Amino acid sequence: MSDDTLNKALFEFLCRMGDNTLVLGHRVSEWCGHAPVLEEDIALANMSLDLIGQTQLWLGLAGELEGAGRSADDLAYLRDAFDFRNLLLVELPNGDFGKTLMRQFLFDGFQSLILTELTRSSNERVKEIALKVKKEVTYHLERSSDLVVRLGDGNEESHRRMQQALNELWPYVGEMFIDEPEDKLLSEAAIAPLPSSLKARWETLMRPYFAQAKLNVPDEGYAHKGGKHGTHSEHLGFILAEMQFLQRAYPGSTW
Amino acid sequence: MYAQMVKSTGHAVRALEDMEPQERAFQERINAGEKIEPKDWMPEGYRKTLVRQISQHAHSEIVGQLPEGNWITRAPTLERKAILLAKVQDEAGHGLYLYCAAETLGVSRDELYEQLHSGKAKYSSIFNYPTLNWADIGAVGWLVDGAAIMNQVPLQRTSFGPYSRAMIRICKEESFHQRQGYDIMMKMAFGSEAQKRMAQDALNRFWWPSLMMFGPSDKDSIHSAQSMAWKIKLNTNDELRQKFVDQTVPQAEYLGLTIPDENVKWNEERGHYDYTDPDWNEFFEVIKGNGPCNKERMDARVKAWEDGAWFREGLMAHAEKANTAEAAE
């Protein structure tokens, strides 16, 4: 395998990591000033801030590796939807606060597992970012799992909402564990794990929380997919139209 | 400072010799620069005025998340987005310290929210203006936080301990906010023609509402006189407004922007800039609820609170279960 092929695979992978955090960070930031309690306004702004910071690291490295002079900002603001590599899960609309929390929880579980693997990556730069980011994500999972448990095992209404959120989001979980051709290359080079190899661990990690939350885990079922190679839901186009407005309307400006 | 026209007792300030011994001792402690702490005796008027003022400030921080939050998803770079998120998070944090300070006076955060949502409690008029272009985010930091700092810096010395300590923390963060706002303004004012136009447009719209932030002249107000005697308020509105104008005019000149008031000019004799008073009719209309965004701001806050009821109740139910389980063990 040529270095070029591996580099291209790594670029794709870094875009997946960075686009996941960028798009989820965008969605979480939409709550700003609208959360159910003041402490949650603070927590969500903090989460979003972490996610945007992580985006700068992942997309920054992607741009560097590509060697075409694109910065993290260029990648975030000047690609169209079909070049985005995020999971469909993170671009779904927020829904109620329960759905936002559940989406975060499902993602945090996956993210914490993949980052653990990446802290052992054969690529030093990837390893370095993973070591830094892992600490934040450990905290994110602690927070989201705690709230999912408390609301799932709260009162009838909170339980109903959390169960509904899980049911609605469940078809978007499977995409996390699909192996793309790039994943195979990266796994052979010990740079990143095969997503499918994380599935059993994800179940082991998440099932006890679902049990504590008294939530029924839906059957395997159908998995929506496409995000990882650029076929998205209709939602992403609107996210980008909003996010990229200034860069598109006033190209080449310094902000 | 985000408190405007805070009502005090409505009575003229009494001389020390006309006070009962307890009140006189209290006033003498204030005169000597001592801090009053929550468990100390205090006149009912002092407590009520403080609750009004601190909660008005807290509400302003909370409502203030909305006009700035309006641009988070559209911030032009990842760094600007991160800075803005951090700033809005700080504002929510300020709200939290201030509600805590108010709680030491025997009023709960829920009660204060109820007053905000019912329209009984006010928040600063400035947050009823919209943020329409990206330079507005710069102008809010530069002018709105700049005006807030004018009032908050002296309040670090206010007589009520918890309020003074909250102000010390808040001031540190506000000065950072103001610098980041001015930094945006520099990028815009020294940027492309389109960016300069945004910067001037933002200044045109935020100049007058910023002057109104200090409230109308209160040199003859009995409410302000009482608050000043209690060191809840340390300067008159006109003093602070003048200070703000004197600081801001050279900053606008440096940016090459024009203050939308042709009467702004240096007065050698006074040692201050002259300026035109803002349109107080507009101010009173905004206070009454007729500003461009009053309804949207309040609807957004009420909706957040009502939509979040299930979340708060669910958490309470879980906590009660956990307590019952613990008691049974």
CSV table of all heavy atoms in Angstrom, one decimal, chain A residues 107-117 134 137-138 141 205:
chain,number,residue,atom,x,y,z
A,107,PHE,N,-23.6,8.9,21.5
A,107,PHE,CA,-22.3,9.3,20.9
A,107,PHE,C,-21.1,9.2,21.9
A,107,PHE,O,-20.1,8.7,21.5
A,107,PHE,CB,-22.5,10.7,20.3
A,107,PHE,CG,-21.2,11.2,19.7
A,107,PHE,CD1,-20.9,10.8,18.4
A,107,PHE,CD2,-20.4,12.1,20.3
A,107,PHE,CE1,-19.7,11.2,17.8
A,107,PHE,CE2,-19.2,12.6,19.7
A,107,PHE,CZ,-18.9,12.1,18.5
A,108,ASP,N,-21.3,9.7,23.1
A,108,ASP,CA,-20.3,9.7,24.1
A,108,ASP,C,-19.7,8.3,24.3
A,108,ASP,O,-18.5,8.1,24.5
A,108,ASP,CB,-20.7,10.3,25.4
A,108,ASP,CG,-21.0,11.8,25.4
A,108,ASP,OD1,-20.5,12.5,24.4
A,108,ASP,OD2,-21.7,12.3,26.3
A,109,GLY,N,-20.6,7.3,24.4
A,109,GLY,CA,-20.2,6.0,24.6
A,109,GLY,C,-19.2,5.5,23.5
A,109,GLY,O,-18.1,5.0,23.7
A,110,PHE,N,-19.7,5.8,22.3
A,110,PHE,CA,-18.8,5.4,21.1
A,110,PHE,C,-17.5,6.2,21.1
A,110,PHE,O,-16.4,5.6,20.9
A,110,PHE,CB,-19.6,5.7,19.8
A,110,PHE,CG,-18.8,5.6,18.6
A,110,PHE,CD1,-18.5,4.3,18.1
A,110,PHE,CD2,-18.3,6.7,17.9
A,110,PHE,CE1,-17.7,4.2,16.9
A,110,PHE,CE2,-17.6,6.6,16.7
A,110,PHE,CZ,-17.3,5.3,16.2
A,111,GLN,N,-17.6,7.4,21.3
A,111,GLN,CA,-16.4,8.3,21.3
A,111,GLN,C,-15.4,7.9,22.3
A,111,GLN,O,-14.2,7.9,22.1
A,111,GLN,CB,-16.9,9.8,21.5
A,111,GLN,CG,-15.9,10.8,21.2
A,111,GLN,CD,-15.7,11.0,19.7
A,111,GLN,OE1,-16.1,10.2,18.8
A,111,GLN,NE2,-15.1,12.1,19.3
A,112,SER,N,-15.9,7.5,23.5
A,112,SER,CA,-14.9,7.2,24.6
A,112,SER,C,-14.2,5.9,24.2
A,112,SER,O,-13.0,5.8,24.5
A,112,SER,CB,-15.7,7.1,25.9
A,112,SER,OG,-16.0,5.8,26.2
A,113,LEU,N,-14.9,5.0,23.5
A,113,LEU,CA,-14.2,3.7,23.1
A,113,LEU,C,-13.2,3.9,22.0
A,113,LEU,O,-12.1,3.4,22.0
A,113,LEU,CB,-15.3,2.7,22.7
A,113,LEU,CG,-16.2,2.2,23.8
A,113,LEU,CD1,-17.3,1.3,23.3
A,113,LEU,CD2,-15.3,1.4,24.9
A,114,ILE,N,-13.6,4.7,21.0
A,114,ILE,CA,-12.7,4.9,19.9
A,114,ILE,C,-11.5,5.7,20.3
A,114,ILE,O,-10.4,5.4,20.0
A,114,ILE,CB,-13.4,5.5,18.7
A,114,ILE,CG1,-12.5,5.3,17.4
A,114,ILE,CG2,-13.7,7.0,18.8
A,114,ILE,CD1,-13.2,5.6,16.1
A,115,LEU,N,-11.7,6.7,21.2
A,115,LEU,CA,-10.6,7.5,21.7
A,115,LEU,C,-9.6,6.6,22.5
A,115,LEU,O,-8.4,6.8,22.5
A,115,LEU,CB,-11.1,8.7,22.5
A,115,LEU,CG,-11.7,9.8,21.7
A,115,LEU,CD1,-12.4,10.8,22.6
A,115,LEU,CD2,-10.6,10.5,20.9
A,116,THR,N,-10.1,5.7,23.3
A,116,THR,CA,-9.3,4.8,24.1
A,116,THR,C,-8.3,4.1,23.1
A,116,THR,O,-7.1,4.0,23.4
A,116,THR,CB,-10.1,3.8,24.9
A,116,THR,OG1,-11.0,4.5,25.7
A,116,THR,CG2,-9.2,2.9,25.8
A,117,GLU,N,-8.9,3.6,22.0
A,117,GLU,CA,-8.1,2.9,21.0
A,117,GLU,C,-7.1,3.9,20.4
A,117,GLU,O,-5.9,3.5,20.2
A,117,GLU,CB,-9.0,2.3,19.9
A,117,GLU,CG,-9.8,1.1,20.4
A,117,GLU,CD,-8.9,0.0,21.0
A,117,GLU,OE1,-8.0,-0.4,20.3
A,117,GLU,OE2,-9.2,-0.4,22.1
A,134,LYS,N,-9.5,12.6,25.2
A,134,LYS,CA,-10.1,11.5,26.0
A,134,LYS,C,-10.6,12.0,27.4
A,134,LYS,O,-11.7,11.6,27.8
A,134,LYS,CB,-9.1,10.4,26.2
A,134,LYS,CG,-9.5,9.2,27.0
A,134,LYS,CD,-10.4,8.3,26.2
A,134,LYS,CE,-10.9,7.0,26.8
A,134,LYS,NZ,-11.4,6.9,28.1
A,137,VAL,N,-13.9,13.7,27.0
A,137,VAL,CA,-15.0,12.8,26.6
A,137,VAL,C,-15.4,11.9,27.8
A,137,VAL,O,-16.6,11.6,28.0
A,137,VAL,CB,-14.7,12.0,25.3
A,137,VAL,CG1,-15.7,11.0,25.1
A,137,VAL,CG2,-14.6,13.0,24.2
A,138,THR,N,-14.4,11.6,28.6
A,138,THR,CA,-14.7,10.8,29.8
A,138,THR,C,-15.7,11.5,30.7
A,138,THR,O,-16.7,11.0,31.2
A,138,THR,CB,-13.4,10.5,30.6
A,138,THR,OG1,-12.5,9.8,29.7
A,138,THR,CG2,-13.7,9.6,31.8
A,141,LEU,N,-19.2,11.6,29.0
A,141,LEU,CA,-20.0,10.4,29.2
A,141,LEU,C,-20.5,10.3,30.7
A,141,LEU,O,-21.6,9.8,30.9
A,141,LEU,CB,-19.1,9.2,28.9
A,141,LEU,CG,-19.8,7.8,29.1
A,141,LEU,CD1,-21.0,7.6,28.2
A,141,LEU,CD2,-18.8,6.6,28.8
A,205,LEU,N,-20.5,-1.6,27.6
A,205,LEU,CA,-20.4,-0.3,28.3
A,205,LEU,C,-21.8,0.3,28.6
A,205,LEU,O,-22.1,0.8,29.7
A,205,LEU,CB,-19.6,0.7,27.5
A,205,LEU,CG,-19.5,2.1,27.9
A,205,LEU,CD1,-18.7,2.3,29.2
A,205,LEU,CD2,-18.9,3.0,26.8
